[in-house]
Amino acid sequence: MDKLRITGGQRLNGDVIVSGAKNAALPILCASLLSADTIQLDNVPRLRDIDTTLKLLAMLGVRQVRDGASVELQAEHIDSSEAPYELVKTMRASILVLGPLLARFGHARVSLPGGCAIGQRPVDQHIKGLAAMGADIRVEHGFVIAEAKRLQGATIRTDMITVTGTENLMMAATLAEGQTILENAAREPEIIDLAELLIKMGARIQGHGTDRIVIDGVERLHGAQHTICPDRIETGTFLCAVAATGGDITLHNTNADALGATLDKLREAGLQLELGPNTIRGHMNTRPKAVSFRTTEYPGFPTDMQAQLMALNAIADGTASIVETIFENRYMHVQELNRLGADIEIDGNVAVVKGMPELSGATVMATDLRASASLVIAGLAARGETTIERIYHLDRGYDRMESKLQAIGAHIERLSKEQA
């Protein structure tokens, strides 16, 4: 397995081009199943999760052409409606083929998903919603099996706010008969991006970006071209990195409006920010200040930025309290940060971080996607050499992170299995 080796203590200076959002691209790729026509996508990030999704779509029969950050998909003829465990086990977002397959073809057999081991993240809300739309749906032998002649519009109120649940049900509702109302819907920018693609395909959707989405079903959807929105989590990760190391970086192809709570906390930590139409400049010349926060659904502080800001707090002046309310097992990076010299204690879903004047390099292990990013940030700020193992987690969600960091002055290199 590849590793990252980081020699810390270097200030970051220069420009970074932010890639397309992983969490927008994955449902948008799956939306290609809703039409027999060609879907042209641009700004698609080069990630392991994207590769896995494209393999899954190819197995289902979706024809595809990939050229760098552009992907062309056509699902005119589908060979299978089964998403097997071999592919689904590595990525929870694979459940997003369930709604489109059921809505367009009337049947789907999708393995229960895997992904990062950060909590249960059950799919029961997807099942509940599709059942309300008239699907005969059951779980057998590790598969979700669904059938419906044609889905029927319904009013669905999920028991909790679920991003993938909102996406799955919204996609399914585009081809249902009648009107579907999603109450308690997720409001993330990635939901808006998916809805905008579906509207380009001929869907009738209102209210996306609010907690009440109304979808009037249509007979068929057609082809479209769409550019994936910028990755707000990648943007926030690089801003945490410069806040931890000091320096001056400008992020391009990004959208400050999607990062409200993250930018607020980084300002509170002392990061100086200048916002442009598609750029964010961050510069830091002092030790960061400790920042307390609570993760919550958008537009609150995102759980996907919790680990990165924790790494920043580990070297900050003061003590911070972090409350994780989304996933019950998302503190696995704490013991690895403590190996680098951090002082973090956990009590239930609360982490107390006492900022240290300095971290020291060590060998650590990535436990999930965002934990990987926190260890990179800590390694960049630490004295000496840090080796991060199991970085395949990082490759699931960050497009060539070490190359982008090298370009702005970080001493970081990837070690292949042979080199390691």
Side-chain angles (χ1 to χ4, degrees), residues 18 142 293 341 416 420:
V18 176
F293 62 94
S416 65

Side-chain angles (χ1 to χ4, degrees), residues 1-6 336 339 362-368 371-372 375-376 386-394 415 420:
M1 294 183 189
D2 288 1
K3 304 177 182 181
L4 285 180
R5 183 164 62 198
I6 302 170
E336 302 302 311
R339 282 178 56 80
T363 297
V364 292
M365 181 180 69
T367 54
D368 61 68
S372 308
L375 296 178
V376 170
T386 297
T387 300
I388 304 175
E389 299 182 342
R390 291 175 60 177
I391 61 165
Y392 62 85
H393 287 294
L394 191 75
L415 303 178

Side-chain angles (χ1 to χ4, degrees), residues 297-410:
E297 294 86 359
Y298 191 87
F301 190 88
T303 183
D304 277 355
M305 282 300 304
Q306 176 253 105
Q308 299 92 310
L309 201 60
M310 181 184 285
L312 182 61
N313 275 325
I315 58 163
D317 182 13
T319 298
S321 175
I322 299 171
V323 183
E324 173 59 59
T325 72
I326 306 297
F327 295 125
E328 71 276 8
N329 195 26
R330 205 164 199 177
Y331 283 145
M332 292 189 294
H333 47 282
V334 168
Q335 62 181 1
E336 302 302 311
L337 288 171
N338 284 345
R339 282 178 56 80
L340 294 166
D343 184 351
I344 307 169
E345 294 185 0
I346 303 172
D347 182 9
N349 69 333
V350 179
V352 177
V353 187
K354 296 179 182 177
M356 303 298 291
E358 185 177 69
L359 300 180
S360 57
T363 297
V364 292
M365 181 180 69
T367 54
D368 61 68
L369 169 54
R370 305 306 173 185
S372 308
S374 75
L375 296 178
V376 170
I377 293 167
L380 291 170
R383 172 177 48 83
E385 186 175 286
T386 297
T387 300
I388 304 175
E389 299 182 342
R390 291 175 60 177
I391 61 165
Y392 62 85
H393 287 294
L394 191 75
D395 295 335
R396 287 187 51 229
Y398 289 94
D399 186 348
R400 299 158 295 150
M401 177 183 255
E402 74 274 10
S403 297
K404 293 182 179 183
L405 285 169
Q406 287 166 358
I408 56 175

Side-chain angles (χ1 to χ4, degrees), residues 247-293:
D248 190 336
I249 67 171
T250 300
L251 298 163
H252 301 265
N253 184 38
T254 190
N255 178 12
D257 291 341
L259 281 111
T262 298
L263 296 184
D264 289 345
K265 289 301 175 181
L266 285 168
R267 283 194 186 96
E268 192 177 327
L271 183 65
Q272 301 298 305
L273 293 169
E274 297 176 17
L275 311 181
N278 299 296
T279 62
I280 301 176
R281 179 188 175 198
H283 46 105
M284 188 79 160
N285 292 308
T286 61
R287 183 182 177 191
K289 300 172 186 174
V291 176
S292 296
F293 62 94

Side-chain angles (χ1 to χ4, degrees), residues 215-238:
I215 308 105
D216 289 294
V218 297
E219 288 289 335
R220 66 178 297 274
L221 297 176
H222 52 70
Q225 184 280 331
H226 186 72
T227 300
I228 305 294
C229 68
D231 196 320
R232 62 193 171 100
I233 305 302
E234 183 186 16
T235 299
T237 299
F238 274 91

